[in-house]
Amino acid sequence: MHTADLQVGRVYRQFDSVDAPAIAEERIHVVARMAALASERQVDAVLVAGDVFDLQTVPDRVIRQLFGAMAGYVGTWVLIPGNHDAALAESVWTRAQRLNAIPPNVRVMLEPGVVGLPACQTAVLAAPLTQRHTYNDTTEFFDGVETPPGWLRIGLAHGSVEGILAEDIDSANPISSSRCETARLDYLALGDWHGHKRVNHRCSYSGTPEQDRFRGNQPGYCLIVDLQPGVIPTVEAVRVGRYRWHEIEHAVAVDSDIDLLCARLATFARDDIGQVRVSGRSDLAGQRRLLDAMGRAQAEMRSLSWDVSDLRLMPTAEDIASLKADGYLSEVIEELRAAQADGAADADARVAREALTILCGALASSTVGASSGSVGSSTAAAP
């Protein structure tokens, strides 16, 4: 099994105090799921290609939880540090050693070297990062490593394969695109990219096993790699992640556009995390329908945030009539509508949009309160 970028101990500051701990804890749970899968598939070893921890400063409790989650697979684990948890003189790994938290079946490679797996006649050539950023290829030593005749050679590294990123990006921790050939590797297991990516027929990024950002680059998998001497590896991507992250940019021009977004929101469930940005224009009824749909979806999902600041609120004559906004209030609403017109300064349009939303909401509350005989409804329009 090939995995990487567990990022255990990550802190999600963009979420509230209820959602953030649950999302962070899933990074431990996914390790337990992979351990169970490794046991079920009877793999010969689990290779973790760096960034096991998200920070050097994760609490001792998190260190113990990580190694506890590995208990479901009693075979060999081989771990290397990545850029987030580099093997510094004092690091999360030295703390793990002092805590005596690392089980006997877990090999943590804090220096470049080879791990022999005699049972499956395989040599794992490990290239840990001993500092956060380096501009030398840490896998270069693979070329000169001798292994027993007939044994499989697997490289384990963390970094960026040269030639994949845009030419103007100066990426740290480079890895030669020809390393499989020059080092005679049967497979090169990589970490650093958080999405599953096949570099060539003998080299892959596994991606993070639990999605951690709004990017659709195939996160949430681990790889089951079947290796035979002289044969191109068979690589199976197995989904192990729980949460699915959705980033939605939605433009509203007509009522049916709101219907489409409401229908999509209704498909999400408790294992979905969403971020929605809505632009365009809507009448008051459409805005109410949209906000109601987002509120209901938020109650069903793990987390949902939305931004409707770029949705221009353009009340119709029917909206204004339903709000019983006549005289001065009607004039104010019309002025705020006009302030959102195309060509208006962004800041002015945004202020007008927010003011119109507040005013219409206050008027709607006042109208509903008055019709139901609610005490204090006259103060609802105070803003």
Side-chain angles (χ1 to χ4, degrees), residues 1-2 187 196 204-206 221-225 235-238:
M1 177 183 288
H2 167 200
Y187 183 72
H196 166 43
S204 291
Y205 286 93
S206 65
Y221 295 88
C222 70
L223 305 181
I224 302 294
V225 185
V235 180
E236 177 190 358
V238 181

Side-chain angles (χ1 to χ4, degrees), residues 153-319:
R153 292 166 62 92
I154 299 176
L156 185 61
H158 190 90
S160 298
V161 175
E162 295 174 332
I164 291 182
L165 299 178
E167 293 183 0
D168 59 343
I169 297 179
D170 185 17
S171 177
N173 311 318
I175 296 173
S176 171
S177 59
S178 62
R179 187 60 61 210
C180 289
E181 291 77 17
T182 60
R184 310 174 307 285
L185 299 178
D186 293 283
Y187 183 72
L188 177 54
L190 296 178
D192 195 24
W193 285 28
H194 282 214
H196 166 43
K197 184 177 182 63
R198 185 175 182 179
V199 178
N200 58 51
H201 63 280
R202 292 191 183 277
C203 177
S204 291
Y205 286 93
S206 65
T208 180
E210 183 64 44
Q211 188 168 358
D212 60 354
R213 63 189 69 177
F214 293 105
R215 185 177 298 174
N217 58 352
Q218 292 191 291
Y221 295 88
C222 70
L223 305 181
I224 302 294
V225 185
D226 184 16
L227 288 164
Q228 303 293 334
V231 179
I232 293 175
T234 299
V235 180
E236 177 190 358
V238 181
R239 180 162 181 85
V240 290
R242 175 180 177 181
Y243 293 126
R244 297 177 185 269
W245 296 47
H246 311 271
E247 185 174 34
I248 301 173
E249 302 274 352
H250 193 83
V252 175
V254 293
D255 282 349
S256 59
D257 292 331
I258 290 180
D259 295 333
L260 287 172
L261 181 54
C262 290
R264 184 174 180 185
L265 289 169
T267 66
F268 295 144
R270 66 175 186 173
D271 288 341
D272 291 300
I273 296 171
Q275 179 174 278
V276 181
R277 294 187 183 88
V278 186
S279 60
R281 62 177 65 199
S282 171
D283 60 16
L284 186 57
Q287 185 208 46
R288 287 173 177 168
R289 197 163 72 252
L290 177 59
L291 293 177
D292 179 64
M294 289 193 287
R296 283 186 277 109
Q298 186 183 50
E300 296 294 328
M301 298 169 67
R302 174 70 272 171
S303 176
L304 176 64
S305 61
W306 62 80
D307 181 356
V308 294
S309 60
D310 288 330
L311 180 66
R312 285 182 284 177
L313 184 58
M314 308 297 283
T316 63
E318 291 78 9
D319 289 333

